[in-house]
Amino acid sequence: MTDYLDAVIVEHNPSQKKIDRAVIWLHGLGASGHDFEPVVPQLGLSDDMAVRFIFPHAPKRAVTVNGGMVMPAWYDILEMSLERKIDVAQIEASSKQIKDLVRREIEQGVAPEHIVIAGFSQGGAVAYHVALGYPERLAGLMTLSTYLATNDSIDYSTANKDMPILIEHGSHDPVVPIILGEQAKQLLSDKGYDVTYHTYPMAHQVCMPQIQNIGQWLNSILA
C-alpha cells in the first residue's frame, strides 16, 4: 500500500463536471502545502475546466545550510554556493513521492496529459526532476524562482520532449539568483524544449501579475 504525502486539496469547478485536470504544486523550503492554496481563486481559470490542485507537504528533515535545523524540506541543501550542492538521493526520493501522487490522479481518472507539475524554489527543483524524467506525456511543467539541480542525473524522457515549460523568476531574487533561472531556460531550450520564460520586478516571492499570467498559461495547456 502506497504511503502518500499529506496534501492540501483545492478543487476548481468541482460541481460543474467531473474533475479531469490536475496540478501538483510543490512549496519551497520551510513552507507547507498551504502556501499556494490562496492562489487558486486568483488564477482566473476557465469555467469550462474542472481542476484538482494538490499541494503536498514536504517531509521534515535537517537542513545543513540552516544550521541543521529540522524543517519541511524536499531535500537537504549542503552549500548555498551558486552551484547549490544538494542531497541528490533525497531529491530522487521526493520525486518518487510526487510520482506516486501523479499515479493516484491517473487512477482517479485524470489522464497524464492533463496533469501539470509545478514547484516554487526548492519545490521547483523537484518538479524539474519529476516532469523531465516522467515516462508518460504530461500537460506541462511550471517552475517558479528555482533552479535545475539535477541535470546530470535526470533520465530525460522522450515522452515529454514537446511538453510546455513555464519558467518564472524575480529579477531581484536574493535567495535563488536570477542567473539560475536563466541557466535552466537556456539549458532546456538548447535541448529543444518549448520554454516560456518570464521575469518580474520582485524578490523571492510571487506577485499578482505573475499569478494572472500563470492562470492564462494553465487555461491554455489544460484546455
Side-chain angles (χ1 to χ4, degrees):
M1 182 176 177
T2 304
D3 186 16
Y4 296 106
L5 288 170
D6 288 336
V8 177
I9 307 294
V10 180
E11 293 183 342
H12 166 74
N13 229 4
S15 62
Q16 299 301 313
K17 55 187 292 192
K18 181 181 182 294
I19 296 285
D20 59 1
R21 305 286 191 271
V23 178
I24 301 175
W25 193 331
L26 283 63
H27 63 74
L29 178 65
S32 78
H34 293 287
D35 223 29
F36 289 97
E37 181 182 3
V39 166
V40 177
Q42 302 172 327
L43 291 169
L45 295 179
S46 169
D47 290 337
D48 294 332
M49 297 191 304
V51 187
R52 180 182 297 112
F53 285 81
I54 301 96
F55 300 106
H57 302 295
K60 291 185 178 180
R61 53 171 49 101
V63 177
T64 301
V65 296
N66 287 346
M69 187 181 300
V70 175
M71 62 184 63
W74 297 108
Y75 53 87
D76 188 16
I77 302 174
L78 306 174
E79 291 179 7
M80 283 296 282
S81 61
L82 197 59
E83 290 75 25
R84 288 295 197 281
K85 187 177 179 184
I86 65 164
D87 189 316
V88 175
Q90 289 181 355
I91 204 171
E92 289 175 345
S94 289
S95 296
K96 181 184 181 303
Q97 291 177 302
I98 301 307
K99 288 175 184 175
D100 287 341
L101 295 179
V102 174
R103 181 55 51 188
R104 184 172 68 177
E105 290 304 304
I106 293 171
E107 290 171 353
Q108 292 177 349
V110 181
E113 62 268 24
H114 294 153
I115 298 175
V116 174
I117 307 297
F120 175 83
S121 193
Q122 199 188 52
V126 177
Y128 273 129
H129 198 84
V130 171
L132 293 172
Y134 201 76
E136 297 175 273
R137 174 64 154 81
L138 298 168
L141 166 64
M142 179 176 74
T143 61
L144 312 175
S145 303
T146 189
Y147 54 101
L148 179 47
T150 52
N151 175 51
D152 293 338
S153 57
I154 293 173
D155 183 11
Y156 283 87
S157 167
T158 55
N160 282 301
K161 196 67 179 177
D162 64 342
M163 170 184 63
I165 300 174
L166 178 65
I167 300 176
E168 306 213 319
H169 218 105
S171 56
H172 314 312
D173 192 332
V175 178
V176 181
I178 190 172
I179 188 172
L180 294 177
E182 293 169 348
Q183 286 175 353
K185 182 255 184 187
Q186 192 60 53
L187 188 151
L188 292 173
S189 295
D190 289 348
K191 287 179 179 289
Y193 285 92
D194 175 17
V195 181
T196 301
Y197 180 71
H198 296 138
T199 63
Y200 301 86
M202 63 181 185
H204 196 61
Q205 62 192 106
V206 294
C207 62
M208 184 52 72
Q210 178 188 21
I211 290 169
Q212 293 169 341
N213 183 67
I214 289 170
Q216 292 171 3
W217 183 76
L218 289 173
N219 280 332
S220 172
I221 67 165
L222 290 176

